[in-house]
Amino acid sequence: MLSLLSVLVLGVAPVRDSAHVVLVATTDVHGHATAWDYVGQRPFAGGLARVATVIDSLRARYPGQVLVADAGDLLQGDPFATYFARVAPREPSPMIEAMNLAGYDVATPGNHDFDWGLAPLRQAVADARFPYVSGNIFLRASDALLYPPYRVLQRQGVRIAITGFTTPGVMVWDRAQLGTKVRVGPVRATTAQTLEAMRRDADVAVVLVHSGMDGASSYDTAGVGPEDDAAALASLDRKPDVVVVGHSHREMRDSVIGGVHFVQPRPFGASVSVVHVDLVREAGRWRITRIRADLVPTGSVAPSALLTERLRSEHDSVAAWVATPIGLALGPMHASAARVQPTAILEFVNQVQRRHSGADLSATSAFDLGAGFDPDTIRVGQVLALYPFDNTLVAVRLSGARLKSYLEWSARYFAVDAVGRVSVNDSVPGYDYDVISGARYQIDLRRPVGERIQGLTVRGRAVQPADSFTLALNSHRQTGAGGYDMLRGAPVVYDKGERIPDLLIAEIRRQSPIDPAQYAARDWEVVPEVPARAVRALFGVAEKPLPVGARDTVVLRVLTTGD
């Protein structure tokens, strides 16, 4: 063993006997590169610009010890991402450029990163200054992995192996984009070989898994695999040390299962997971002595000056795009009551879907209850708030029995306890509560789940189980997403690949000015009055809806120049 004197004389670096590694992680950024809300036209309490400040601070505090990773869903979601994917594509992708500027070290794809297609994803990744890894995305032609299964990075002499896995649900939701090009294997079935190799090659094993912890899948898993299977990593023979969880848009500081630490930062860069790993050297190898994790909110963190300045031109372009006027609304059309009673704004969406597809019926949901149009100029950003996803329009053929099953599944959204108190079922996201236009029905909250849809008629005739209808809906729902298994196997009668936000924008331009009175039909209602009143109270809707079939009396004040 060298003495301290010999180390000083000979210039030999002393061998470390302890180390501290800091893993910084994000997930589900969904296009939020800057610290700006392009729809609301106000600062955004998240985004990579704020994340970059946190990273810089940690690197200054822990020099040579920080490693930065992302667990997927980067390239789609925010108007910033949409603009540079569809309106004005450029290379490098500004999303990847933001990650390069922030200093990411490794990432794995999420399911939404395939939404624009395989070629745009591969081009974006090609411009990254950091590697992408995946242990379960295979090219169908060769059955070879699309990306390296893992990478080994070093900090303070410690070898950290990082792999990634993506929920196989992408094979359901993005099958049109993936087609015969890519296969995404089930998480649990594809991890063993990769983790075995990682354990041989490194001192610390980290998994970036774009899959929720556990629970029911939103699709039929036969031949696909569970949607949310991250917790299964704790039951493997060769376990990882740390798992960064994504996809489910939840937040988890540090959950330890079977000795494995699971962390999950909030989506959109609203928080950052920071995992501290302490190690000691024993018999020539590193041994972990402690893992502790924390969450750092970014809402009050100042955006990175470097990233903000470098993306200023891109920011200005997107801000101008969302502010583009496309038409005029003659009266208010808001979504605030859309889960309580029929609204002009959802009727507008459904009428556009029916007209383009020629379907008998149309289904949609309220993605954002704060969305809608004021009696004023309608701008691109308002449509993106109303319909924030890049789903395409599809129509399927359904029997009367399946139509009723569809509505019964949607009506699970409301929960009623033993004494009749009404609440929202917290296991059903609001965007999975669909309403149908073209049919009339009541949601009777006196009845149990599965028996709530009463008085279902189409064109004035009671729907019979053997009847046949065409239903317009979005491409995501058509896959059965959200647990709508009754759609499985339904024949597709219309599919031209038209993006629904584009159709809505085109319709506003064609029809402007938009008159809410044209979309005032009352197709459905919650009954009886007592639970209906409770539902209205849940959403702050004071006025009682008109009976099914009635028409609104709408008094409009047309705004004129100078008024």
Side-chain angles (χ1 to χ4, degrees):
M1 180 179 294
L2 293 173
S3 67
L4 178 60
L5 179 59
S6 61
V7 168
L8 293 174
V9 171
L10 300 176
V12 179
V15 177
R16 283 182 175 273
D17 59 6
S18 66
H20 178 215
V21 175
V22 182
L23 171 66
V24 183
T26 55
T27 189
D28 296 279
V29 172
H30 282 291
H32 291 275
T34 70
W36 189 252
D37 176 355
Y38 293 95
V39 172
Q41 292 296 297
R42 56 181 178 263
F44 179 69
L48 289 176
R50 298 187 196 275
V51 169
T53 299
V54 175
I55 294 170
D56 289 345
S57 176
L58 289 168
R59 282 206 167 107
R61 184 173 180 181
Y62 303 104
Q65 299 163 262
V66 174
L67 189 155
V68 186
D70 183 77
D73 273 9
L74 170 78
L75 299 173
Q76 177 276 340
D78 183 73
F80 188 94
T82 300
Y83 182 79
F84 289 108
R86 295 191 60 87
V87 180
R90 48 152 279 192
E91 298 174 14
S93 160
M95 291 306 306
I96 293 294
E97 186 174 2
M99 291 182 76
N100 287 339
L101 291 169
Y104 276 75
D105 295 294
V106 64
T108 200
N111 56 286
H112 280 294
D113 291 320
F114 290 92
D115 282 359
W116 309 117
L118 182 59
L121 171 60
R122 298 186 79 167
Q123 180 56 59
V125 170
D127 293 320
R129 296 179 197 152
F130 51 91
Y132 266 71
V133 293
S134 175
N136 73 329
I137 302 176
F138 301 86
L139 291 167
R140 284 194 181 272
S142 61
D143 209 36
L145 286 168
L146 179 62
Y147 301 110
Y150 65 94
R151 282 292 180 94
V152 176
L153 304 173
Q154 289 198 45
R155 296 293 185 273
Q156 292 197 324
V158 177
R159 292 172 61 81
I160 306 107
I162 304 183
T163 185
F165 298 94
T166 302
T167 176
V170 68
M171 298 303 299
V172 177
W173 308 312
D174 278 343
R175 61 190 176 202
Q177 292 91 319
L178 300 182
T180 59
K181 300 172 184 175
V182 166
R183 173 178 68 86
V184 180
V187 171
R188 188 181 326 209
T190 54
T191 53
Q193 183 177 356
T194 298
L195 281 165
E196 182 70 33
M198 289 167 62
R199 281 302 188 190
R200 289 195 304 266
D201 288 355
D203 307 298
V204 179
V206 176
V207 173
L208 312 174
V209 59
H210 196 84
S211 172
M213 288 295 285
D214 52 25
S217 301
S218 65
Y219 54 83
D220 178 15
T221 61
V224 180
E227 175 180 356
D228 297 318
D229 210 17
L233 297 171
S235 64
L236 299 173
D237 291 335
R238 301 290 277 173
K239 304 175 185 180
D241 299 302
V242 178
V243 177
V244 179
V245 179
H247 182 60
S248 57
H249 287 208
R250 296 182 179 179
E251 188 177 49
M252 183 167 44
R253 185 183 68 83
D254 190 4
S255 180
V256 183
I257 305 174
V260 180
H261 291 253
F262 291 84
V263 302
Q264 185 173 12
R266 288 173 62 193
F268 316 133
S271 71
V272 176
S273 287
V274 181
V275 184
H276 298 270
V277 183
D278 295 318
L279 308 97
V280 295
R281 183 184 289 276
E282 293 179 349
R285 290 190 62 84
W286 289 103
R287 178 176 65 84
I288 295 174
T289 59
R290 184 186 182 193
I291 296 176
R292 64 191 191 281
D294 205 350
L295 286 161
V296 178
T298 62
S300 60
V301 174
S304 160
L306 170 64
L307 198 150
T308 300
E309 184 58 34
R310 290 281 291 273
L311 295 181
R312 186 171 302 281
S313 174
E314 288 81 359
H315 161 79
D316 291 345
S317 296
V318 178
W321 174 57
V322 298
T324 302
I326 53 176
L328 174 70
L330 296 180
M333 298 173 68
H334 296 145
S336 54
R339 296 175 193 159
V340 177
Q341 61 196 43
T343 55
I345 194 68
L346 288 199
E347 183 66 17
F348 167 71
V349 175
N350 273 325
Q351 284 198 28
V352 171
Q353 293 186 166
R354 288 176 71 186
R355 187 173 70 80
H356 276 270
S357 65
D360 303 316
L361 313 170
S362 177
T364 193
S365 58
F367 298 110
D368 182 352
L369 296 180
F373 310 146
D374 293 321
D376 201 341
T377 301
I378 303 172
R379 302 181 187 276
V380 167
Q382 291 171 286
V383 177
L384 298 179
L386 174 66
Y387 213 101
F389 301 105
D390 293 288
N391 301 321
T392 59
L393 177 62
V394 180
V396 298
R397 184 166 294 281
L398 286 182
S399 67
R402 289 198 181 194
L403 174 62
K404 185 174 185 299
S405 178
Y406 188 110
L407 288 168
E408 293 285 7
W409 186 254
S410 177
R412 294 166 53 250
Y413 180 67
F414 298 110
V416 183
D417 68 13
V419 296
R421 288 175 298 197
V422 179
S423 62
V424 170
N425 184 344
D426 60 10
S427 68
V428 181
Y431 53 75
D432 280 337
Y433 172 58
D434 286 7
V435 299
I436 287 183
S437 174
R440 291 182 178 175
Y441 58 96
Q442 295 179 330
I443 303 172
D444 190 342
L445 295 185
R446 293 169 298 189
R447 305 180 70 88
V449 170
E451 300 177 14
R452 289 176 169 175
I453 302 303
Q454 302 295 309
L456 177 58
T457 65
V458 174
R459 292 186 289 271
R461 178 179 175 275
V463 171
Q464 303 300 315
D467 287 345
S468 179
F469 306 100
T470 52
L471 174 68
L473 69 177
N474 70 57
S475 52
H476 181 72
R477 182 69 78 234
Q478 182 260 330
T479 66
Y484 285 82
D485 292 343
M486 73 293 301
L487 294 173
R488 186 167 12 112
V492 175
V493 297
Y494 183 91
D495 185 1
K496 294 184 177 180
E498 301 156 310
R499 293 176 63 253
I500 293 173
D502 291 345
L503 295 177
L504 299 177
I505 290 171
E507 183 72 7
I508 292 167
R509 283 177 166 149
R510 188 179 72 86
Q511 288 278 18
S512 183
I514 303 297
D515 184 349
Q518 294 180 318
Y519 306 100
R522 298 282 182 170
D523 291 324
W524 61 275
E525 63 178 340
V526 176
V527 297
E529 176 55 27
V530 171
R533 191 182 304 126
V535 169
R536 293 197 294 274
L538 282 174
F539 293 92
V541 178
E543 54 197 73
K544 179 180 177 180
L546 296 176
V548 168
R551 296 287 296 181
D552 287 324
T553 300
V554 182
V555 179
L556 299 174
R557 175 172 173 266
V558 181
L559 300 178
T560 58
T561 302
D563 192 13

